[in-house]
Amino acid sequence: QKTIANFLDHEIAKIDALITEQEKLIEPLTEKRQSVISNAVCRGLDSNVPMKDSGVEWLGMVPEHWEIKSIKKIAKLDGGAGFPDDEQGKTDAPIPFFKVADLANGLTSSENSVTEEVARLLRAKIFPIGTIAFAKVGAALLLNRRVLMTISGCVDNNMMVAICHPETSPYWLTYFLRTIDFVWFVNPGAIPSVNQEQIGGIRVPVPPASEQISIVNFLDYETAKIDELKSEAVKASQILQERRSALISAAVTGQIDVRNFQSKAS
């Protein structure tokens, strides 16, 4: 028993060290991703363009040819609808009804759906592809998830949406919104919340439409590379954790012979 314990202490320490190395890679990659997005949407891609003071303290300097507009000038904000319990859990209707928890999967699927008739009765708008959805109340608000809808559907009343005006790229605005911590705008109270007036009043440095597309293409490429590195680090950590569990199981059930461990270690 003592030999098994000594063997596992020695081997598990090595595996734990490797797991720690992989986990240490993830946080810097997350920070780098956010920095790349923030620099692109707030400073642009050309470091040689003339800059100007944005007049917004947290933004600082922005390209001189960009306009400063409030979000309500470039997108229409709207809210979700109440979703009664007796209408939930139906999956065979044609219109997805997204709950705030669905933000975690990118609004790619929902365990709830409604018919057009039910949507009308609930006064739930069917938002189109390209709508930006995010939480507006509760703990989900603090997670700062901004999701671009790739399928049309209704959203519950814990969410707010932004529908971009024609001259504004929803892909670009989604990236920009991911640089903003909504905690800055939260109403005081036991439950965090924001309203349309607060979000609509956020001032944004708006590049020309063609430049928005260039920024989006750049960020799609750069974030994909970072996400791949993060995925590799997470996968390596998971494999090591599985190896850790398997090694413990094999040692304590006698599937591997560790009787000579002490002499080998010495």
Side-chain angles (χ1 to χ4, degrees):
Q1 293 175 22
K2 189 176 292 184
T3 302
I4 291 171
N6 290 337
F7 168 80
L8 288 175
D9 283 347
H10 181 265
E11 295 300 314
I12 295 305
K14 292 192 293 183
I15 295 174
D16 285 346
L18 293 173
I19 292 173
T20 299
E21 286 180 14
Q22 294 301 318
E23 291 177 344
K24 282 181 178 179
L25 291 174
I26 296 171
E27 185 175 353
L29 286 169
T30 301
E31 292 173 353
K32 181 180 179 181
R33 189 184 197 280
Q34 190 66 10
S35 176
V36 168
I37 293 172
S38 182
N39 284 334
V41 298
C42 296
R43 305 286 180 269
L45 305 180
D46 185 354
S47 59
N48 296 316
V49 298
M51 305 291 281
K52 67 180 179 184
D53 187 345
S54 66
V56 182
E57 183 178 355
W58 61 273
L59 275 177
M61 304 295 286
V62 299
E64 191 175 67
H65 64 288
W66 289 14
E67 296 182 84
I68 306 298
K69 296 181 179 181
S70 59
I71 286 179
K72 63 186 176 184
K73 296 292 185 182
I74 61 174
K76 177 186 176 183
L77 297 174
D78 210 334
F83 195 23
D85 289 344
D86 59 356
E87 293 293 349
Q88 297 182 30
K90 301 171 183 177
T91 58
D92 56 350
I95 303 167
F97 201 121
F98 296 110
K99 300 183 70 175
V100 71
D102 293 322
L103 289 168
N105 68 25
L107 302 184
T108 55
S109 62
S110 175
E111 296 180 357
N112 302 281
S113 64
V114 294
T115 62
E116 289 190 21
E117 181 182 3
V118 170
R120 282 196 300 271
L121 289 172
L122 297 176
R123 296 184 179 180
K125 295 179 181 177
I126 304 170
F127 296 109
I129 293 171
T131 298
I132 307 166
F134 46 89
K136 68 176 184 181
V137 65
L141 166 66
L142 306 180
L143 297 175
N144 284 309
R145 292 185 174 122
R146 320 280 182 257
V147 176
L148 188 66
M149 293 173 62
T150 56
I151 53 177
S152 60
C154 304
V155 302
D156 74 15
N157 55 0
N158 292 311
M159 283 191 270
M160 190 185 303
V161 301
I163 303 172
C164 291
H165 295 168
E167 69 278 6
T168 304
S169 164
Y171 301 95
W172 165 79
L173 185 57
T174 301
Y175 272 123
F176 184 86
L177 288 174
R178 288 172 181 166
T179 70
I180 300 175
D181 188 347
F182 279 4
V183 172
W184 305 340
F185 308 99
V186 163
N187 294 306
I191 300 176
S193 66
V194 293
N195 57 46
Q196 290 182 26
E197 183 178 353
Q198 290 166 316
I199 301 305
I202 296 173
R203 297 172 70 195
V204 177
V206 183
S210 60
E211 199 168 344
Q212 292 177 30
I213 300 304
S214 296
I215 290 170
V216 168
N217 291 337
F218 168 80
L219 288 176
D220 284 349
Y221 179 73
E222 292 297 322
T223 57
K225 290 195 299 182
I226 296 171
D227 289 345
E228 185 176 356
L229 291 173
K230 283 179 62 178
S231 179
E232 289 175 358
V234 169
K235 185 176 180 180
S237 179
Q238 291 172 341
I239 291 172
L240 287 165
Q241 289 172 14
E242 291 169 3
R243 165 65 178 161
R244 188 184 193 277
S245 297
L247 184 64
I248 293 172
S249 178
V252 300
T253 58
Q255 295 177 51
I256 54 176
D257 186 353
V258 299
R259 286 174 296 178
N260 295 325
F261 170 71
Q262 293 284 14
S263 60
K264 288 181 180 178
S266 60

